[in-house]
Amino acid sequence: MKIILITGCSSGFGYLAALKFARNGWKVFASVKSLDERSKKLQSTADKEKLDLEVVKIDVTKQNEIDFEVQKILKANGHIDVLINNAGFGYFGPLEEFDIEQIQEQYDVNIFGALRMIQAVLPSMRQRKSGRIINVTSLNGLLSFGLYGVYSSSKFALETMSEVLRFEVKPFGVDVTVVEPGAFLTDFQNHSKVLKGYKSGKTAYSGLRNPLDRETLTKEKVIDNPIIKRIVDPQHVVNKLFEIANLPKTRIRYKIGIDTKLYTFVRKITPDSIWEAILHKAYKW
């Protein structure tokens, strides 16, 4: 039986991925930051369907929780075949107005959290000469947009670390790959943090607004539009994660979503000066 450990399973991609793998015969350890109603719902669903899924408490910013649970899994099962680093959140606002402590909080989860998990799981994978690590980054790990500087920088860092790690562990039979989703219909925005001063409008950057706020692609509009709903269905990402986990060999990265593929293509063929002009026009800034 294949064993997988997935972080960030209280909602979104992690929640759906935990069920996807379990329903397809994997033994799943679904980690959550806290044992709240969402995690209880996941465990309850798994129990009702008699799935081999266990919700475990791992705050990726706490080394002791990571070490305890990973060693517990290894002791009981002998190995972990796949680790999916999915836990993360977004901090949004003008760079100048961030406290260093807020930036550290962002990095502690999105970068150091993933690295802590990797360092906890990797020794056992090296010893077995088998294993796969899938790091979930973002379109924002490939391109950065106004107000996304702190979040994007954390995902850019995870992209770089993943690429280096893939090279370093290949001789040990361990595979590392990156999944780069665009915008999908999850609770990510609800769990994101916007700087209070910027959000209240009491800032020099009050006129700088995310252009998506002025468009119709709101959650309510998506629900009402079956075509858009299909395009931004998070199950697309989950299905890709499952596919990648089962591949004999992976590519270094996988772009998922029309927006990810479109934006990266446009950026690739667009000179810097024109790209900057496009952003200023889009943001009206």
Side-chain angles (χ1 to χ4, degrees):
M1 178 179 291
K2 291 185 177 181
I3 297 171
I4 186 168
L5 172 57
I6 309 172
T7 67
C9 292
S10 62
S11 64
F13 300 140
Y15 186 99
L16 296 173
L19 292 174
K20 171 76 174 183
F21 279 88
R23 286 166 177 163
N24 284 275
W26 286 59
K27 185 167 188 175
V28 177
F29 291 92
S31 89
V32 295
K33 181 179 180 180
S34 58
L35 298 174
D36 56 15
E37 290 304 314
R38 295 174 300 169
S39 60
K40 290 178 183 177
K41 180 182 177 182
L42 174 59
Q43 188 67 72
S44 176
T45 299
D47 292 344
K48 287 178 182 177
E49 296 184 26
K50 297 181 178 180
L51 302 176
D52 198 349
L53 184 154
E54 180 182 346
V55 173
V56 295
K57 183 182 181 302
I58 298 179
D59 182 337
V60 297
T61 67
K62 296 181 179 178
Q63 190 69 55
N64 61 326
E65 289 189 12
I66 294 171
D67 292 340
F68 177 80
E69 291 297 341
V70 169
Q71 289 306 311
K72 182 179 176 182
I73 293 169
L74 291 173
K75 185 175 181 179
N77 301 275
H79 67 281
I80 295 172
D81 293 289
V82 176
L83 166 67
I84 297 182
N85 277 314
N86 169 71
F89 78 99
Y91 237 137
F92 302 105
L95 275 171
E96 180 188 350
E97 299 186 348
F98 276 96
D99 295 332
I100 294 301
E101 290 76 17
Q102 292 169 319
I103 299 174
Q104 288 173 332
E105 179 187 0
Q106 177 77 98
Y107 286 10
D108 201 21
V109 176
N110 290 9
I111 304 172
F112 303 134
L115 188 55
R116 291 185 189 101
M117 293 299 302
I118 290 168
Q119 290 179 336
V121 170
L122 189 53
S124 65
M125 290 183 171
R126 281 194 295 101
Q127 291 172 6
R128 292 183 66 239
K129 294 188 179 299
S130 177
R132 177 161 294 162
I133 297 169
I134 303 173
N135 292 327
V136 179
T137 61
S138 169
L139 163 62
N140 290 285
L142 300 170
L143 296 175
S144 190
F145 302 91
L147 305 174
Y148 284 70
V150 171
Y151 173 68
S152 287
S153 64
S154 73
K155 292 300 186 178
F156 267 91
L158 187 55
E159 287 271 341
T160 299
M161 289 196 303
S162 300
E163 189 167 337
V164 171
L165 187 66
R166 179 181 172 95
F167 170 79
E168 292 176 344
V169 300
K170 185 176 181 180
F172 301 112
V174 180
D175 179 76
V176 179
T177 188
V178 174
V179 169
E180 303 156 334
F184 286 89
L185 194 59
T186 69
D187 289 331
F188 177 77
Q189 290 294 335
N190 294 335
H191 300 149
S192 298
K193 300 182 180 182
V194 180
L195 290 180
K196 290 182 179 179
Y198 166 73
K199 191 175 183 179
S200 67
K202 298 176 181 180
T203 168
Y205 297 93
S206 59
L208 175 58
R209 296 291 171 182
N210 187 338
L212 289 179
D213 292 340
R214 295 191 288 267
E215 295 181 355
T216 59
L217 193 58
T218 63
K219 194 168 186 177
E220 292 74 18
K221 293 292 184 180
V222 168
I223 291 173
D224 293 337
N225 190 315
I227 296 176
I228 296 178
K229 187 176 180 180
R230 283 197 298 272
I231 293 173
V232 298
D233 185 348
Q235 197 65 45
H236 293 307
V237 177
V238 171
N239 292 342
K240 194 64 173 181
L241 288 170
F242 183 74
E243 176 190 331
I244 293 169
N246 285 283
L247 289 173
K249 186 178 180 180
T250 68
R251 303 197 306 266
I252 192 167
R253 47 178 50 91
Y254 293 85
K255 297 179 179 67
I256 308 177
I258 293 175
D259 52 348
T260 297
K261 295 174 182 177
L262 177 61
Y263 282 135
T264 52
F265 172 74
V266 172
R267 182 65 185 98
K268 185 177 180 180
I269 64 173
T270 305
D272 291 346
S273 59
I274 296 178
W275 178 254
E276 287 182 347
I278 290 172
L279 289 180
H280 280 290
K281 185 172 181 60
Y283 277 79
K284 297 181 180 179
W285 182 251

